[in-house]
Amino acid sequence: MIRGLIATGATDGGPLVAVAELPEPTAAADEAVVAVEASSVNHGEVEWLTQAAPGWRPGWDVAGRVLRAAQDGSGPPAGTRVAGFLPQAAWAERTLVPGLRLGALPEELPAATAAAIPVAGLTALRALREAGALRAGSRVLVTGAAGAIGRIAVQLAARAGAEVTALVRAGGHAEALTALGAAAVVEGTGALDGSFDAILDGVAGPVLGACLPAVAPGGSVVLYGDASHEPTTFASGELFLTAPGARICALRMDASPPQDGFAADLSELAALVRDGVLDVEAADPVDWREAGDAIAASRSRRPARKPVLVWS
Ligand SMILES: NC(=O)c1ccc[n+]([C@@H]2O[C@H](COP(=O)([O-])OP(=O)(O)OC[C@H]3O[C@@H](n4cnc5c(N)ncnc54)[C@H](OP(=O)(O)O)[C@@H]3O)[C@@H](O)[C@H]2O)c1
């Protein structure tokens, strides 16, 4: 048996997770068994938890060590320090990860930092890549720029030489986002100016509706989230006049096949974090048995940094 966290299904404001004894995971040929050292708490997965059936196994991000390598030879060998991501079940002391979804970690990178990399880092990196935004001089607009994915996207785009506009809904983020590389920090869509070769959106709703007309001809809009939970309307009749050749693309990490190069991307992101050029903003880790507090903090958006659970 292993220890892990399961959804309670609570809808009355009670704890969303409970400690459980779970069956030892049995790996398919393409899966490695990972001894989990740390997992992070993403805002999106906490939202999933609020709607989950009792017994559902939460957890997207994992950092730890390969206990048993995938039998088909995919993925790193036993003993390798790794980070990976899953659609569920990472909040446990051992978990199964497709070998191709595991990236090797530098030995010196703490698991509690590495655990904040996978979903947020991969989403930001791949959204920027999809938008063709990782190039010098590209004009990039990042909505929800104060969020976890937004802040990573700002850093990666700025590092590539793009001119990044960070869109936030409220004040108080300008100094931090400028330090992360944003050329401009804009509060609210009313203050947007100019056009953009790439727009990354994790907010949707009226924010996206207001940003879409700002895409440049031939530009790209990559949609990866809907933090506002609101529908989007926009004047498509104007868009094809002002931005011929522009495209809108939806990106969903858990729908990407494992052979999609995750291992290389995870290792690349981990190296950037180790080298101090990318901050994934992991909070001080807490024991996994204190997950309730970390979840509550994530829901109330109190932590500026991403909560991390450590397994011991
Ligand atoms: N496509 C994928 O594969 C994938 C993977 C992971 C996550 N996601 C999704 O991506 C989105 C962002 O994730 P995250 O981890 O970065 O979340 P996060 O840290 O909670 O960031 C969300 C950001 O959106 C902003 N926001 C929320 N509602 C808003 C509104 N009504 N108007 C303006 N701004 C608003 C927040 O602003 P404040 O800072 O002011 O609160 C925050 O900066 C979520 O929808 C998540 O489910 C998608």
Side-chain angles (χ1 to χ4, degrees):
M1 300 293 279
I2 60 168
R3 297 167 304 163
L5 294 167
I6 58 169
T8 60
T11 54
D12 59 358
L16 290 173
V17 292
V19 173
E21 292 275 315
L22 300 161
E24 188 70 48
T26 308
D30 65 343
E31 291 176 323
V33 181
V34 174
V36 179
E37 293 169 14
S39 328
S40 70
V41 178
N42 291 283
H43 201 235
E45 65 189 322
V46 170
E47 285 189 5
W48 275 60
L49 254 182
T50 61
Q51 297 153 39
W56 184 72
R57 302 267 315 272
W60 291 347
D61 287 335
V62 60
R65 202 172 282 278
V66 176
L67 209 55
R68 281 191 295 283
Q71 286 169 12
D72 67 359
S74 62
T80 309
R81 296 194 68 242
V82 286
F85 83 97
L86 297 165
Q88 57 181 26
W91 292 359
E93 59 188 333
R94 286 186 284 286
T95 195
L96 305 175
V97 189
L100 293 172
R101 283 196 173 175
L102 288 172
L105 291 176
E107 276 298 327
E108 62 273 34
L109 186 65
T113 305
I117 296 174
V119 169
L122 287 170
T123 305
L125 176 62
R126 286 172 171 239
L128 289 165
R129 200 182 275 153
E130 184 66 45
L134 291 169
R135 58 184 175 82
S138 176
R139 291 162 301 162
V140 179
L141 173 64
V142 177
T143 72
I149 296 170
R151 290 164 80 100
I152 295 175
V154 167
Q155 294 176 74
L156 293 175
R159 186 173 173 276
E163 184 187 313
V164 183
T165 296
L167 178 63
V168 294
R169 68 170 153 184
H173 299 290
E175 194 179 331
L177 285 166
T178 302
L180 294 180
V185 180
V186 174
E187 288 170 26
T189 53
L192 270 181
D193 192 25
S195 68
F196 300 92
D197 304 308
I199 299 176
L200 262 65
D201 179 63
V203 176
V207 169
L208 175 60
C211 290
L212 276 167
V215 67
S220 295
V221 181
V222 177
L223 314 178
Y224 67 82
D226 72 335
S228 70
H229 303 301
E230 291 181 72
T232 302
T233 56
F234 69 101
S236 63
E238 282 176 29
L239 194 66
F240 71 75
L241 293 176
T242 58
R247 67 191 190 107
I248 300 174
C249 166
L251 180 86
R252 190 176 140 198
M253 298 304 303
D254 63 341
S256 302
Q259 60 271 27
D260 211 7
F262 290 113
D265 286 351
L266 282 166
S267 294
E268 178 186 333
L269 289 164
L272 293 175
V273 175
R274 177 209 46 206
D275 295 345
V277 294
L278 174 65
D279 185 355
V280 288
E281 308 195 321
D284 289 339
V286 298
D287 185 272
W288 65 279
R289 282 158 287 230
E290 310 298 324
D293 293 343
I295 290 167
S298 176
R299 290 185 83 183
S300 68
R301 300 196 55 78
R302 265 187 281 118
R305 295 188 156 257
K306 179 169 289 191
V308 173
L309 309 175
V310 284
W311 298 79
S312 55

